[in-house]
Amino acid sequence: MNDTELLDPIEVIALFQHGKLTPLKFRWRERVYKVFRINGTWKQKDGTALYHYFSVCCDGPEVYELSFNNESQAWRMERLRLQT
């Protein structure tokens, strides 16, 4: 498995329903990715900010790790994992 840390800002279309945040699509490097599966979610505090993390699969073998910062309201592509 090849793991690359990116920390790139991204645009995300997400659903917020019943207190749950769910990414549906995201734009990264001028391409739109549709989320087909969420592998896992977790939260982490950093000072006053609460980060929501998502491990997601799109079309292909890659696993994308996305984050949402509650304080800044910003999404970021944290890392990309290539399945080998």
Side-chain angles (χ1 to χ4, degrees):
M1 187 181 323
N2 188 1
D3 193 6
T4 306
E5 185 175 66
L6 298 164
L7 308 178
D8 292 343
I10 57 174
E11 298 173 350
V12 176
I13 294 174
L15 176 65
F16 187 79
Q17 188 174 34
H18 306 295
K20 184 178 176 185
L21 179 62
T22 306
L24 303 174
K25 291 182 182 181
F26 61 93
R27 181 190 313 264
W28 176 56
R29 296 185 178 172
E30 302 304 317
R31 183 174 165 209
V32 175
Y33 298 81
K34 182 178 179 186
V35 175
F36 288 113
R37 184 177 72 236
I38 297 177
N39 303 318
T41 65
W42 64 99
K43 298 176 187 175
Q44 183 175 338
K45 283 201 67 104
D46 184 10
T48 59
L50 177 64
Y51 288 86
H52 297 260
Y53 290 92
F54 304 87
S55 172
V56 303
C57 289
C58 298
D59 186 20
E62 300 87 0
V63 177
Y64 302 90
E65 185 180 302
L66 315 178
S67 72
F68 177 71
N69 180 328
N70 266 15
E71 191 170 86
S72 68
Q73 301 287 294
W75 285 90
R76 194 163 72 175
M77 171 72 68
E78 295 288 333
R79 69 184 73 250
L80 173 63
R81 290 188 175 103
L82 300 174
Q83 306 288 339
T84 55

